[in-house]
Amino acid sequence: MRAALAGVAALALSLTGCGSGDESTAGTGGTVTVFAAASLTETFTKLGRDFESAHPGTRVVLNFAGSSALATQITQGAPADVLAAASPATMKTVTDAGDAAGAPTVLVRNQLVIAVPEGNPDRVGGLADLGRAGVKVALCAEQVPCGAAARSALDAAGVPLTPATLEQDVKGALAKVKLGEADAALVYRTDVRAAGLAAVEFPESARAVNDYPIVVLKHAGNPAGARAFVDHVRSDAGLAVLTAAGFQAPPSR
């Protein structure tokens, strides 16, 4: 099972590389395989390219999905060097399995907003409006960090809500709004910005802030490259890329 899963993961990863170089640099080089939460897609794609430019001969291969799916792949033996998850609870799955090389560190934080089409045709002004009759809402599944955060916010607001659809990551929930199959979605601020949709802020989002931990994995095939990549995304330049996309710096920064 582990071998089969690793083969499938390797095939998928080969389709998502950022590029390659021909020269080599001491301490890096080779391929760095990064599993990252779907909400990091745009920023980690840029950071991967920046890392490759700074380390000729190194290729960053990115696998984006819901954090719970990535954690399952890693604990079942999928080959990866780095994991960047969208919640500490998801990361704990990996650390509890003994698959992390050291303690994870918090990279950034993210906060929920309500994604609506431009012009906000349903006049959604807050969480309570999501419970109105006829308003179709897309949520992430609760085992996914954005889904767990959404449930925390809805419970804090006392809003009963039966979603029209449950998606496996924020990109799936956003797609339902973009396609007109949902009137709103509870997703991260960063993803709404990247998707070109409108965002409705709500006070209960203070109960729905997710920390994003990152760690080098115990069975990394390229541990030196993995450590260098983590250092790169945690640097001031890396944080600038992330905060420009709407992520928040962790309290320790």
Side-chain angles (χ1 to χ4, degrees):
M1 172 67 180
R2 290 171 66 93
L5 182 65
V8 171
L11 176 60
L13 292 170
S14 70
L15 301 177
T16 57
C18 286
S20 61
D22 297 323
E23 302 172 284
S24 61
T25 299
T28 55
T31 298
V32 181
T33 301
V34 179
F35 279 30
S39 48
L40 292 166
T41 299
E42 291 79 15
T43 51
F44 264 47
T45 297
K46 174 172 173 45
L47 289 168
R49 289 173 179 153
D50 291 347
F51 184 78
E52 290 176 341
S53 296
H55 300 83
T58 301
R59 178 172 179 253
V60 178
V61 175
L62 297 163
N63 179 31
F64 297 109
S67 293
S68 58
L70 296 176
T72 297
Q73 291 171 26
I74 289 167
T75 58
Q76 292 185 355
D81 298 307
V82 175
L83 171 64
S87 75
T90 308
M91 180 63 78
K92 190 173 185 296
T93 302
V94 174
T95 57
D96 284 354
D99 287 321
T105 56
V106 176
L107 178 61
V108 287
R109 313 182 93 183
N110 211 349
Q111 196 159 348
L112 289 187
V113 296
I114 303 169
V116 295
E118 286 295 336
N120 194 2
D122 288 282
R123 300 176 187 261
V124 172
L127 286 184
D129 292 327
L130 299 183
R132 292 197 328 247
V135 177
K136 295 179 290 185
V137 181
L139 297 181
C140 297
E142 286 192 39
Q143 68 268 26
V144 181
C146 68
R151 180 47 55 193
S152 295
L154 290 165
D155 289 347
V159 177
L161 175 64
T162 301
T165 180
L166 289 172
E167 301 298 320
Q168 292 306 306
D169 57 48
V170 290
K171 301 301 184 187
L174 276 170
K176 295 297 183 181
V177 179
K178 293 186 76 171
L179 293 170
E181 296 174 11
D183 303 312
L186 269 173
V187 293
Y188 297 122
R189 179 183 289 127
T190 53
D191 293 285
V192 178
R193 184 178 299 187
L197 294 170
V200 176
E201 304 278 348
F202 57 96
E204 296 86 358
S205 65
R207 305 281 189 96
V209 177
N210 275 6
D211 287 341
Y212 280 53
I214 188 168
V215 75
V216 174
L217 295 169
K218 182 177 181 180
H219 302 293
N222 184 357
R227 289 190 295 271
F229 181 82
V230 171
D231 288 344
H232 174 71
V233 299
R234 294 187 68 240
S235 69
D236 289 343
L239 184 63
V241 171
L242 291 157
T243 55
F247 287 98
Q248 303 166 24
S252 61
R253 292 295 293 246

